[in-house]
Amino acid sequence: MIIKINQEEIAEETAFDEAIDKLVSLMRDGTIEEFKTYDVENMDKINNTYTNYTVALYNNENQEGEPVRTVTIEIYGEEDNQTIEIDLGE
C-alpha cells in the first residue's frame, strides 16, 4: 500500500516529520503494526528535490531483533511544494 501526502496536507516543520506522524496515525488506527521507535537504515538524496529513506519500525525501545515493518519514504519536489509517498510494503 502506498500513502501519498500532498503539500497542502503537510503541517509539520519537515516533510520527514510529517511522514513519521502519518506512520504513527496509521499505527493508532490499526493499519500497521504497533511500533515504539524507528531507525533510518538508508537515505539517498538526489539534488534538493528527491530523498528516499528506508525506515525500520521496531516494537521496542532498543531497536533489537527484527523490525515489525520496514517502509520506504520518498519526498520529492521543491521545498515549498513537496510530495511524500510512503510505501508500507506488504
Side-chain angles (χ1 to χ4, degrees):
M1 176 195 297
I2 295 178
I3 307 292
K4 189 171 186 176
I5 304 169
N6 295 315
Q7 181 65 37
E8 305 83 48
E9 302 170 275
I10 299 176
E12 290 295 327
E13 187 170 325
T14 69
F16 182 80
D17 289 342
E18 186 70 34
I20 296 300
D21 281 357
K22 183 63 175 182
L23 290 170
V24 170
S25 174
L26 292 169
M27 175 193 70
R28 288 186 178 146
D29 74 13
T31 302
I32 64 172
E33 302 84 353
E34 184 174 335
F35 67 95
K36 295 182 179 176
T37 60
Y38 66 89
D39 179 40
V40 177
E41 294 183 329
N42 188 43
M43 180 182 88
D44 292 321
K45 188 170 187 165
I46 301 172
N47 300 324
N48 287 326
T49 59
Y50 177 82
T51 308
N52 179 300
Y53 301 90
T54 302
V55 180
L57 307 177
Y58 292 90
N59 65 356
N60 59 63
E61 298 289 332
N62 301 332
Q63 298 176 351
E64 294 176 346
E66 291 295 313
V68 293
R69 182 180 290 261
T70 300
V71 300
T72 302
I73 299 172
E74 294 183 43
I75 301 170
Y76 53 89
E78 299 296 324
E79 188 172 331
D80 61 348
N81 190 25
Q82 292 182 318
T83 300
I84 303 166
E85 287 190 11
I86 305 170
D87 186 343
L88 299 177
E90 298 180 27

